[in-house]
Amino acid sequence: MTRQFIFFITLSLNFLYITFAFDPRPLQDFCVADLTSSVRFGWGRPCKDPKTVEANDFFFSGLHLAGNMSNPSGSATTTVSANQIPGLNALGVMLVRVDLRRNGFFPPHIHPRATELVTVLEGSVEFGFVTSYPAYKHLSKVVRRGDVFVVPVGLVHYARNVGEGNAVALVAFNSQNPGFTFVPDTIFGAEPAIDGDYLARAFMVDENIVEELQKKF
Amino acid sequence: MTRQFIFFITLSLNFLYITFAFDPRPLQDFCVADLTSSVRFGWGRPCKDPKTVEANDFFFSGLHLAGNMSNPSGSATTTVSANQIPGLNALGVMLVRVDLRRNGFFPPHIHPRATELVTVLEGSVEFGFVTSYPAYKHLSKVVRRGDVFVVPVGLVHYARNVGEGNAVALVAFNSQNPGFTFVPDTIFGAEPAIDGDYLARAFMVDENIVEELQKKF
Amino acid sequence: MTRQFIFFITLSLNFLYITFAFDPRPLQDFCVADLTSSVRFGWGRPCKDPKTVEANDFFFSGLHLAGNMSNPSGSATTTVSANQIPGLNALGVMLVRVDLRRNGFFPPHIHPRATELVTVLEGSVEFGFVTSYPAYKHLSKVVRRGDVFVVPVGLVHYARNVGEGNAVALVAFNSQNPGFTFVPDTIFGAEPAIDGDYLARAFMVDENIVEELQKKF
Amino acid sequence: MTRQFIFFITLSLNFLYITFAFDPRPLQDFCVADLTSSVRFGWGRPCKDPKTVEANDFFFSGLHLAGNMSNPSGSATTTVSANQIPGLNALGVMLVRVDLRRNGFFPPHIHPRATELVTVLEGSVEFGFVTSYPAYKHLSKVVRRGDVFVVPVGLVHYARNVGEGNAVALVAFNSQNPGFTFVPDTIFGAEPAIDGDYLARAFMVDENIVEELQKKF
Amino acid sequence: MTRQFIFFITLSLNFLYITFAFDPRPLQDFCVADLTSSVRFGWGRPCKDPKTVEANDFFFSGLHLAGNMSNPSGSATTTVSANQIPGLNALGVMLVRVDLRRNGFFPPHIHPRATELVTVLEGSVEFGFVTSYPAYKHLSKVVRRGDVFVVPVGLVHYARNVGEGNAVALVAFNSQNPGFTFVPDTIFGAEPAIDGDYLARAFMVDENIVEELQKKF
Amino acid sequence: MTRQFIFFITLSLNFLYITFAFDPRPLQDFCVADLTSSVRFGWGRPCKDPKTVEANDFFFSGLHLAGNMSNPSGSATTTVSANQIPGLNALGVMLVRVDLRRNGFFPPHIHPRATELVTVLEGSVEFGFVTSYPAYKHLSKVVRRGDVFVVPVGLVHYARNVGEGNAVALVAFNSQNPGFTFVPDTIFGAEPAIDGDYLARAFMVDENIVEELQKKF
């Protein structure tokens, strides 16, 4: 009985999540994520004892390396979040290196919880977003080496390589977990599928086009 | 010269916007919007002198009336925000009455700044949303009279009347300005248009389908 | 000893509460409350594994039914919070259906943590609140079917049925846990009783009136 | 016409209020209130040019002096807020010196926007508050020289001198504008009066007692 | 094996920290810290069952007593935080009594998470702070009995007794954990030592002066 | 008189500052700063009419160029904030390019309002910070091309080029206005000077060393 009891506790700890304020600032200097702990708190993580913290907890190496772009979209992302740098936990900021090979692109997507601040290190990338108010205003810009572009939180945006070679960008987000919602996959790749007749009417296309799309995603 | 000077001041006041925290709680009891003021503060509004506040500033009448559903989507919304109830300004909550005639629907959309809490007053409506983590999980439910459904902030969601008659729902948002981003219009109706070749690749369809869509929206 | 140790852990988990920011927005899409967990976090709750989340976690049925109004105040409330809809946890919004039979009423009360947005579905209800600045200004309004009324966070307010029949209202709060402080019960029904001589002086009445009141509450 | 135009602008500036987040931390080092400005922003105030700021903007003198307690409740408050110390503006904290002569008291009241932290400097004061959850639990304590007591935000509380002589306390609030809602005055002194029949039923007393109370407040 | 398992759980609980929003307001009336619990949540603490809360949880005695000033700086602090008053937990405010004997002082320091509001109860203390914008502006003031002074959050400040006798001040902070960063110790007493050549260049002094300093701290 | 009146209004508008919540998320999609407006709101700025917003409002060019490092510390910063990208206003994030020539360094400093996330693009830079709890713990790391390092908000930190050539880093801050407090200048360069005798005792050095330092800064 004792063992079952322990099992019950352990199990419930394994699925112990709690919520966080919208990217809180910590009540202490830092809260280095304890990545070995089985306890999870929503997206956040329990902290290590501050006395055991070391410089490596705040460090990551590898952003000079391109990601693997051999995929249909010709794009790659290298993420630097609290999973890679435990010391980032609860500090409300993270980073992504973006690689786009020639003609590579990111589908339209949304980060519900962060503004993104893009710096292009190499190549020429068109970034664009569509505003909600005024409705459906499309702002876009070709961003080159040394250029910076802002995508306000929550707006649909995209990126595509419009240069001759590879492109590299560094993207800073002011959230620990910005959220990534890719529009085509969300609409046509949802599981179980969203009703095809409904999508056909919403997108004003034939239902068989919707069905084809749902097969692809 | 004096006149030009005044003109300059007035003009600059007309375009005077300032930002608000994410749906702040007020630092005072309330901040009833002064709807006659030409001064604008972002989406927020300047407050009336609290001494002149009256009960009507906190009141709206008309939510028992259906909106006009004679449009392609067969839907209507009646909004109760700080524009209708000046006393709602800065209190971080608003309301929408939703009407859907038979087969009426709302296209997939996102509210970047609020969770929605739906109560169906009449009819049968399917509500669904797609999660970002786990990716592309589709949750949906037919919601009937007296049923309540939650759509978490920032997720793509939709509604469609699946009953035999009209449907009515009351939707509460925990923001003064939730934001409305309709996905099809944002993608295919953006002005100027998003590059068709790019959209064709992102949605994995022929470019002429994209062009047709862009004509429709 | 082992068993006692486990008992100690279990016990301490049973009373494990942690605090939340003032109605946080989640750091993830949602945090569906795990209602089976013995772990409590203040008023909030631990989240289920997001992979096990289903549509029913965001759903409640029964708001079309009147509550039981056979009590001295002739009122009933049906609450839709994270206890009823686990998916509401941490999203900062909840709902109450209010029923008032003829002459039914709610005593003066305060919600320290939320603005309330009332929609009357049936009948005629007088809503009123008293401002703190300017001091003691009383704003009230008879609210009928389709009317909406706002009570700003933290102000003393009341409701009473002033129509010929039953009344029904839907009340949205922009907090997961608005708090309910009924003034008469708080003052005269506190346990142990507040000193009668003091209350007599504070309310400028005879002490025996206070004592009678304290017996009733 | 020019003059009328100016008059219009000036007027509208005089009633120009804008909202603040719930006791924001400033986006800059400080925002010293410009007390000479006719422009008002809700309870907050516009800031002086930081270059003109001086030490006196952060200074107040006089908390060693007792306030005037010759009033029915035998109490006095000396407030140190952004009105007295312009540099306190937007920093989310303020102070009150409380004086209570023998038998002096404060009626039950609520601060909807701040926790209060009381330090008694002289005398013996009973402080008490009533919790909302668990409902109607009354916690009280006689607090003497060098004692500290906490009243959590939003709860009904009171203070009364239970010593032989005068009492002095220093009260810190974690808000620029905590709000003061005295219960007896709010209920029985509201203008226009709350319906007497309703109050009689809510407090379970005869209506003529309510009417007497309404005359006194 | 069972025992090891328990040991593992216990261990992981001992180092279980979670983050808090920047001095949150609670989602409930209060969250009295359970000081007996081995579970820690960053700087915050788990709450007791609200049903077991008592008046003593909100009470502290001893601020009328001077601290021990027999140390090189001739200063003492008596802290009243959630460690002393469990009921203060999560309410975003705390208190410190400061004693300074003749010539006593506090070295330049910073509170990264709170504004401080000082009331001098006895003696004459010079308080000063240096602004970051405009850069390096020094504001200072001699503060005497009954005087109040504000130090905005995050700025370098200091205090020194400039009177003939002892001085006493009460300092309120609008955070549960303001943070204390003493500049000289942080720079010259850091462990392991900061590179001396670097510090010499940064402070424009000879490296041997830096080395002497590092020995002293 | 009319002209003087206008002058008065204009003047007061020129010094019209209002406070912001701690890096608010906007209540609207964005709030592009109107850099031509004479109206100032603390560090924030009024927004342009959203209808006139264009892609250039979210764009900056020039981060591929090194700043001018011909100064005693051999360092340069190129700032990308709302002054350079008006669309960044109110979005709570900004960027700095840091250049350090051989032996170049930044003196110990603090950002009271933001965590910094550093990516080294070129060279070898030692970054270090000192924690406040545990007290005076020094964490440092040599960060090279492709490495990322985190400095938690509010902690004293430094950077120095430890490589053979120039170094370049990109620093993201999760605040619109992180604040820059350089410790040596703040302590020894404050205007008017902080009392030398006091500083000598606080830093445990001879007063003439302090005086020399004060002359240099």
Side-chain angles (χ1 to χ4, degrees):
Chain A
M1 205 200 85
T2 301
R3 197 168 304 185
Q4 289 160 327
F5 207 88
I6 295 171
F7 181 71
F8 172 78
I9 296 180
T10 317
L11 209 78
S12 79
L13 283 175
N14 276 317
F15 296 99
L16 183 63
Y17 284 73
I18 58 156
T19 64
F20 283 91
F22 186 78
D23 274 297
R25 283 165 51 93
L27 191 51
Q28 54 284 320
D29 288 353
F30 39 71
C31 165
V32 177
D34 179 359
L35 299 180
T36 65
S37 163
S38 61
V39 184
R40 286 294 305 276
F41 303 96
W43 195 264
R45 295 191 176 268
C47 342
K48 285 173 62 169
D49 181 347
K51 294 203 179 76
T52 69
V53 159
E54 47 187 83
N56 279 332
D57 291 330
F58 298 89
F59 179 73
F60 169 85
S61 187
L63 269 202
H64 55 306
L65 304 172
N68 177 6
M69 296 170 279
S70 342
N71 52 53
S73 69
S75 63
T77 54
T78 309
T79 300
V80 185
S81 73
N83 288 323
Q84 288 75 35
I85 301 190
L88 262 181
N89 189 37
L91 290 177
V93 64
M94 57 94 81
L95 212 60
V96 169
R97 175 189 163 126
V98 162
D99 289 288
L100 292 168
R101 67 160 190 244
R102 198 166 186 271
N103 282 324
F105 66 92
F106 279 96
H109 60 288
I110 288 177
H111 308 297
R113 289 183 290 272
T115 286
E116 79 175 55
L117 189 46
V118 184
T119 309
V120 170
L121 301 181
E122 211 178 295
S124 297
V125 185
E126 188 192 53
F127 280 90
F129 62 85
V130 184
T131 67
S132 88
Y133 182 84
Y136 316 133
K137 185 170 181 171
H138 173 210
L139 302 177
S140 71
K141 191 84 193 170
V142 175
V143 187
R144 296 189 177 83
R145 184 166 166 260
D147 294 352
V148 178
F149 194 69
V150 180
V151 180
V153 55
L155 299 188
V156 174
H157 61 288
Y158 66 90
R160 59 186 188 113
N161 189 342
V162 295
E164 297 304 306
N166 287 355
V168 183
L170 217 52
V171 186
F173 294 95
N174 61 343
S175 166
Q176 176 172 358
N177 180 23
F180 289 80
T181 299
F182 285 95
V183 171
D185 307 75
T186 299
I187 302 287
F188 297 109
E191 275 290 337
I194 300 177
D195 184 86
D197 169 59
Y198 160 72
L199 283 180
R201 286 190 294 148
F203 280 86
M204 298 196 254
V205 291
D206 276 1
E207 200 175 335
N208 57 346
I209 292 182
V210 167
E211 273 162 21
E212 261 178 67
L213 280 165
Q214 290 182 327
K215 270 180 214 142
K216 286 180 191 158
F217 282 98
Chain B
M1 205 202 84
T2 301
R3 196 166 307 183
Q4 289 160 325
F5 206 88
I6 295 170
F7 180 71
F8 172 78
I9 297 178
T10 317
L11 209 76
S12 78
L13 284 175
N14 275 317
F15 296 99
L16 183 63
Y17 284 74
I18 58 157
T19 63
F20 283 91
F22 187 77
D23 275 299
R25 285 166 49 95
L27 191 52
Q28 54 284 320
D29 288 353
F30 39 70
C31 165
V32 177
D34 179 359
L35 299 180
T36 66
S37 164
S38 61
V39 184
R40 286 293 307 276
F41 302 95
W43 195 262
R45 293 189 177 271
C47 342
K48 286 173 61 170
D49 181 348
K51 294 203 178 76
T52 69
V53 159
E54 48 187 84
N56 279 332
D57 291 330
F58 298 89
F59 179 74
F60 169 84
S61 187
L63 269 203
H64 54 305
L65 304 172
N68 177 6
M69 295 171 279
S70 343
N71 52 53
S73 68
S75 63
T77 53
T78 309
T79 300
V80 184
S81 74
N83 288 323
Q84 287 75 36
I85 302 190
L88 263 181
N89 189 38
L91 290 176
V93 64
M94 58 94 80
L95 212 59
V96 169
R97 175 189 164 127
V98 163
D99 289 287
L100 291 168
R101 66 159 190 244
R102 199 166 185 272
N103 284 322
F105 67 92
F106 279 96
H109 61 288
I110 288 177
H111 308 298
R113 289 182 292 270
T115 286
E116 78 175 57
L117 189 46
V118 184
T119 310
V120 170
L121 301 181
E122 212 179 293
S124 298
V125 185
E126 188 192 54
F127 279 90
F129 62 86
V130 183
T131 68
S132 88
Y133 182 83
Y136 315 133
K137 186 169 182 171
H138 173 210
L139 301 177
S140 72
K141 190 84 193 169
V142 175
V143 187
R144 297 191 175 81
R145 184 168 165 260
D147 294 353
V148 178
F149 195 69
V150 180
V151 180
V153 55
L155 298 188
V156 174
H157 61 288
Y158 66 90
R160 60 185 188 114
N161 189 342
V162 295
E164 297 303 307
N166 287 355
V168 183
L170 216 53
V171 186
F173 293 95
N174 62 343
S175 166
Q176 176 173 358
N177 180 24
F180 289 79
T181 299
F182 285 96
V183 172
D185 307 73
T186 298
I187 302 288
F188 299 109
E191 275 288 339
I194 299 176
D195 183 87
D197 169 60
Y198 160 72
L199 283 181
R201 286 190 293 147
F203 281 86
M204 299 196 255
V205 291
D206 276 0
E207 199 175 335
N208 58 343
I209 292 182
V210 167
E211 272 162 22
E212 261 179 66
L213 279 165
Q214 290 182 327
K215 271 180 213 143
K216 286 180 191 159
F217 283 98
Chain C
M1 204 203 83
T2 301
R3 196 165 306 182
Q4 288 160 327
F5 206 87
I6 295 170
F7 182 70
F8 172 78
I9 297 179
T10 318
L11 208 78
S12 79
L13 284 175
N14 275 317
F15 297 99
L16 182 65
Y17 284 73
I18 57 155
T19 63
F20 283 91
F22 186 78
D23 275 297
R25 284 167 49 94
L27 191 51
Q28 53 284 320
D29 289 354
F30 39 72
C31 165
V32 176
D34 180 359
L35 299 180
T36 66
S37 164
S38 62
V39 184
R40 286 294 306 277
F41 301 96
W43 196 262
R45 293 189 178 270
C47 343
K48 286 174 60 169
D49 180 349
K51 296 204 176 74
T52 69
V53 158
E54 47 187 84
N56 279 333
D57 290 330
F58 298 89
F59 179 75
F60 169 85
S61 187
L63 270 202
H64 55 305
L65 304 171
N68 177 6
M69 295 171 279
S70 342
N71 51 54
S73 68
S75 63
T77 54
T78 310
T79 300
V80 185
S81 74
N83 288 322
Q84 287 75 36
I85 302 189
L88 262 181
N89 189 37
L91 290 177
V93 63
M94 57 95 80
L95 211 60
V96 170
R97 175 190 164 125
V98 162
D99 289 287
L100 292 168
R101 66 160 190 245
R102 199 166 185 272
N103 283 322
F105 67 92
F106 279 97
H109 61 287
I110 288 177
H111 307 298
R113 290 182 291 270
T115 286
E116 77 175 59
L117 190 45
V118 184
T119 310
V120 170
L121 301 180
E122 211 178 295
S124 297
V125 185
E126 188 192 54
F127 280 91
F129 62 85
V130 182
T131 67
S132 87
Y133 182 84
Y136 317 133
K137 187 169 181 173
H138 173 211
L139 301 177
S140 71
K141 190 83 192 170
V142 174
V143 187
R144 296 190 176 81
R145 183 166 167 259
D147 293 354
V148 178
F149 194 69
V150 179
V151 180
V153 55
L155 299 187
V156 174
H157 61 289
Y158 65 90
R160 60 186 188 115
N161 189 342
V162 295
E164 298 303 308
N166 288 353
V168 183
L170 217 53
V171 186
F173 293 95
N174 62 343
S175 167
Q176 176 173 358
N177 179 23
F180 289 79
T181 299
F182 285 96
V183 172
D185 307 73
T186 298
I187 302 287
F188 298 109
E191 275 288 340
I194 300 176
D195 183 86
D197 169 60
Y198 160 72
L199 283 181
R201 285 190 293 148
F203 280 86
M204 299 196 255
V205 291
D206 276 0
E207 201 176 333
N208 58 345
I209 292 181
V210 167
E211 272 162 22
E212 261 179 66
L213 280 165
Q214 291 183 327
K215 271 180 213 144
K216 286 181 191 158
F217 282 99
Chain D
M1 202 203 86
T2 301
R3 196 166 306 183
Q4 290 162 325
F5 206 86
I6 295 170
F7 181 72
F8 172 78
I9 297 178
T10 317
L11 209 78
S12 78
L13 284 175
N14 275 316
F15 297 99
L16 182 64
Y17 284 73
I18 58 155
T19 63
F20 283 92
F22 188 76
D23 274 296
R25 284 166 50 94
L27 191 51
Q28 54 284 319
D29 288 354
F30 40 72
C31 166
V32 176
D34 179 359
L35 299 180
T36 66
S37 165
S38 61
V39 184
R40 287 293 307 276
F41 302 97
W43 195 263
R45 292 189 178 271
C47 341
K48 285 173 62 170
D49 181 346
K51 294 202 179 77
T52 69
V53 159
E54 47 188 86
N56 279 331
D57 290 330
F58 298 89
F59 179 74
F60 169 84
S61 187
L63 269 202
H64 54 307
L65 304 172
N68 177 7
M69 295 171 279
S70 341
N71 52 53
S73 67
S75 63
T77 54
T78 309
T79 300
V80 184
S81 74
N83 287 324
Q84 287 75 36
I85 301 189
L88 264 180
N89 190 37
L91 290 177
V93 63
M94 57 94 81
L95 211 60
V96 169
R97 175 191 164 125
V98 162
D99 289 288
L100 291 168
R101 66 160 189 244
R102 199 164 185 273
N103 284 322
F105 67 92
F106 279 96
H109 60 289
I110 288 175
H111 309 296
R113 290 183 289 271
T115 286
E116 78 176 56
L117 189 46
V118 184
T119 309
V120 170
L121 301 181
E122 210 177 297
S124 298
V125 184
E126 188 192 57
F127 280 90
F129 62 85
V130 183
T131 68
S132 88
Y133 181 84
Y136 315 135
K137 186 169 182 172
H138 174 210
L139 301 177
S140 72
K141 191 82 193 171
V142 175
V143 186
R144 297 190 175 82
R145 184 166 167 259
D147 294 353
V148 178
F149 195 69
V150 179
V151 180
V153 56
L155 299 187
V156 174
H157 60 289
Y158 65 90
R160 60 186 187 114
N161 189 342
V162 295
E164 297 304 305
N166 287 354
V168 183
L170 217 53
V171 186
F173 294 94
N174 62 342
S175 166
Q176 176 172 0
N177 180 23
F180 289 79
T181 298
F182 285 95
V183 172
D185 307 74
T186 299
I187 302 287
F188 298 110
E191 276 287 342
I194 300 176
D195 184 87
D197 169 61
Y198 160 72
L199 284 181
R201 285 191 293 148
F203 281 85
M204 298 197 255
V205 290
D206 275 2
E207 199 175 335
N208 57 343
I209 291 181
V210 167
E211 273 161 23
E212 260 178 67
L213 280 166
Q214 290 182 327
K215 271 180 213 145
K216 285 181 192 159
F217 281 98
Chain E
M1 202 202 88
T2 301
R3 196 166 307 181
Q4 289 161 326
F5 207 87
I6 295 171
F7 181 72
F8 172 78
I9 297 180
T10 316
L11 208 78
S12 78
L13 284 175
N14 275 317
F15 297 98
L16 182 65
Y17 284 74
I18 59 156
T19 63
F20 283 92
F22 187 79
D23 274 295
R25 284 165 50 96
L27 192 51
Q28 55 284 320
D29 289 354
F30 40 72
C31 165
V32 176
D34 180 359
L35 298 180
T36 67
S37 165
S38 62
V39 185
R40 286 293 307 276
F41 302 95
W43 195 263
R45 294 190 175 268
C47 340
K48 285 173 61 170
D49 181 348
K51 293 202 179 76
T52 69
V53 159
E54 46 187 86
N56 279 331
D57 291 330
F58 298 90
F59 179 74
F60 169 85
S61 188
L63 270 202
H64 54 308
L65 304 171
N68 177 6
M69 294 171 278
S70 340
N71 53 53
S73 69
S75 63
T77 53
T78 309
T79 300
V80 185
S81 73
N83 288 323
Q84 287 75 36
I85 303 190
L88 263 181
N89 189 37
L91 290 177
V93 64
M94 59 94 80
L95 210 60
V96 170
R97 175 191 163 126
V98 162
D99 289 288
L100 291 169
R101 66 161 190 243
R102 198 164 186 273
N103 283 323
F105 66 92
F106 279 97
H109 60 289
I110 288 177
H111 308 297
R113 290 182 290 272
T115 286
E116 78 175 56
L117 190 45
V118 184
T119 310
V120 170
L121 301 181
E122 213 177 294
S124 297
V125 185
E126 189 193 53
F127 280 91
F129 62 85
V130 183
T131 67
S132 88
Y133 182 84
Y136 316 133
K137 187 170 181 172
H138 173 211
L139 301 178
S140 72
K141 190 83 192 170
V142 175
V143 187
R144 297 191 176 80
R145 183 166 167 259
D147 293 353
V148 178
F149 194 69
V150 180
V151 180
V153 56
L155 299 188
V156 174
H157 60 290
Y158 66 91
R160 60 185 188 115
N161 189 342
V162 294
E164 297 303 308
N166 288 354
V168 183
L170 218 52
V171 185
F173 294 95
N174 61 343
S175 165
Q176 175 172 359
N177 180 23
F180 289 79
T181 299
F182 285 95
V183 171
D185 307 73
T186 298
I187 301 289
F188 298 109
E191 275 288 339
I194 300 176
D195 184 87
D197 169 61
Y198 160 72
L199 284 181
R201 286 190 293 147
F203 280 86
M204 298 196 253
V205 291
D206 276 1
E207 200 175 336
N208 58 342
I209 292 181
V210 167
E211 272 161 25
E212 261 179 67
L213 281 165
Q214 290 182 327
K215 272 179 213 145
K216 286 181 192 159
F217 283 98
Chain F
M1 206 202 84
T2 300
R3 196 166 304 183
Q4 289 161 326
F5 206 88
I6 296 169
F7 182 71
F8 173 79
I9 297 179
T10 317
L11 208 77
S12 78
L13 284 175
N14 275 316
F15 297 100
L16 183 65
Y17 284 73
I18 59 156
T19 64
F20 282 92
F22 187 78
D23 275 296
R25 286 166 48 95
L27 191 52
Q28 53 284 319
D29 289 354
F30 40 72
C31 165
V32 177
D34 180 359
L35 299 180
T36 66
S37 165
S38 60
V39 184
R40 286 295 303 277
F41 302 96
W43 196 263
R45 294 191 177 268
C47 341
K48 286 173 61 169
D49 181 349
K51 294 203 179 74
T52 69
V53 158
E54 47 187 84
N56 279 331
D57 291 330
F58 298 89
F59 179 74
F60 169 85
S61 187
L63 270 201
H64 54 307
L65 304 171
N68 177 6
M69 295 171 278
S70 341
N71 52 53
S73 68
S75 62
T77 54
T78 310
T79 300
V80 184
S81 73
N83 288 323
Q84 288 75 36
I85 301 190
L88 263 181
N89 190 37
L91 291 177
V93 64
M94 59 93 81
L95 211 60
V96 169
R97 174 190 165 125
V98 163
D99 289 288
L100 292 169
R101 67 160 188 244
R102 198 163 185 274
N103 283 323
F105 67 92
F106 279 97
H109 60 289
I110 288 176
H111 308 297
R113 290 182 291 271
T115 286
E116 78 175 57
L117 190 45
V118 184
T119 309
V120 170
L121 301 181
E122 211 178 296
S124 298
V125 185
E126 187 191 55
F127 279 91
F129 61 85
V130 183
T131 67
S132 88
Y133 183 84
Y136 316 133
K137 187 169 181 172
H138 173 211
L139 302 177
S140 71
K141 190 84 193 170
V142 175
V143 187
R144 296 192 175 80
R145 184 168 165 257
D147 294 353
V148 178
F149 194 70
V150 180
V151 180
V153 56
L155 299 188
V156 174
H157 61 289
Y158 65 90
R160 58 185 188 115
N161 189 342
V162 293
E164 298 303 307
N166 287 354
V168 183
L170 217 52
V171 186
F173 294 95
N174 62 342
S175 166
Q176 176 173 358
N177 180 23
F180 289 80
T181 299
F182 286 95
V183 172
D185 307 74
T186 298
I187 301 288
F188 298 109
E191 275 287 339
I194 299 176
D195 183 88
D197 169 62
Y198 159 73
L199 284 181
R201 286 190 293 148
F203 281 86
M204 299 197 254
V205 291
D206 276 0
E207 199 175 335
N208 58 343
I209 292 181
V210 168
E211 272 161 24
E212 262 178 66
L213 281 165
Q214 290 182 327
K215 270 180 213 145
K216 286 182 193 158
F217 283 98

